[in-house]
Amino acid sequence: MTDQPSNADMGDTDIPGKPTSASRTTLSHIMTHNDTNLLGTVHGGVIMKLVDDAAGAVAGRHSGGPAVTASMDEMVFLEPVRVGDLVHVKAQVNWTGRTSMEVGVRVLAERWNESTPATQVGSAYLVFAAVDADGKPRSVPQVLPETERDKRRYQEAQIRRTHRLSRRRAIRELREKRAAEGYED
């Protein structure tokens, strides 16, 4: 594991790197009755859309153009969100590959009419692929972690990437084995 991205991590590219802070963003939204589920709290899908929106904005800003959601990992709901909560979705690029980026997202909520500190209510990691006008993958700038926290997030993102690739490989191998044995899926 490296503390900083290297050209070997990125592949050969002439695109200058960008610091983490260059694309970091916060999306805020007040939750209304239109956002509720059958329990009267905000529907998880509403929060997931806000997460995807904020992460997509960060990925597009970092890559300098269109980026599409490739996967969402570890969407965790820590506390329910209620009608009247002001939700803040904070996102940043944690790691970059040649054409993909991991975006980390923290979801916080506070009452719209109170001055109490916001509480973390969720988090997620999403992978985005940068695409050109034809929908083909395109290179992205490497992310340049600036703080110790950014460096830790970069290293953790590398671990998540390794696990994602290992899981995909193991599933593919199992399916190939079952197919060779004559099992249909």
Side-chain angles (χ1 to χ4, degrees):
M1 239 18 88
T2 58
D3 286 344
Q4 294 278 352
S6 68
N7 286 342
D9 294 330
M10 271 294 295
D12 294 324
T13 181
D14 293 330
I15 302 171
K18 287 186 179 179
T20 306
S21 61
S23 57
R24 187 179 290 140
T25 194
T26 300
L27 172 72
S28 297
H29 188 78
I30 294 178
M31 298 292 105
T32 67
H33 287 286
N34 292 335
D35 301 317
T36 60
N37 59 27
L38 296 175
L39 298 175
T41 56
V42 173
H43 195 288
V46 170
I47 301 299
M48 291 173 75
K49 177 158 183 354
L50 293 174
V51 165
D52 192 43
D53 288 346
V58 167
R61 290 170 88 175
H62 182 83
S63 68
V68 296
T69 311
S71 71
M72 178 184 272
D73 291 350
E74 300 180 37
M75 181 71 216
V76 178
F77 298 99
L78 302 169
E79 298 283 335
V81 177
R82 303 172 294 162
V83 169
D85 281 353
L86 178 57
V87 172
H88 307 286
V89 184
K90 298 176 177 277
Q92 75 171 47
V93 174
N94 290 335
W95 176 90
T96 51
R98 191 177 55 79
T99 62
S100 64
M101 303 155 274
E102 183 196 88
V103 179
V105 181
R106 290 181 64 217
V107 183
L108 302 123
E110 61 182 308
R111 294 306 292 168
W112 70 274
N113 59 347
E114 297 175 8
S115 59
T116 56
T119 302
Q120 184 172 353
V121 296
S123 65
Y125 300 101
L126 296 88
V127 176
F128 280 79
V131 295
D132 63 18
D134 297 322
K136 304 273 192 256
R138 62 181 176 80
S139 296
V140 298
Q142 71 182 53
V143 67
L144 304 174
E146 299 171 283
T147 66
E148 287 305 313
R149 183 182 225 177
D150 294 340
K151 291 174 186 175
R152 175 186 55 79
R153 288 178 175 171
Y154 184 90
Q155 291 173 326
E156 290 173 358
Q158 288 178 306
I159 293 168
R160 281 187 294 275
R161 179 176 187 271
T162 299
H163 285 236
R164 272 191 301 274
L165 294 175
S166 176
R167 184 177 60 238
R168 286 180 193 155
R169 185 173 37 257
I171 290 170
R172 185 180 63 246
E173 288 170 0
L174 176 63
R175 288 179 179 175
E176 289 170 357
K177 179 183 175 206
R178 289 184 54 82
E181 292 171 351
Y183 294 104
E184 292 185 35
D185 287 337

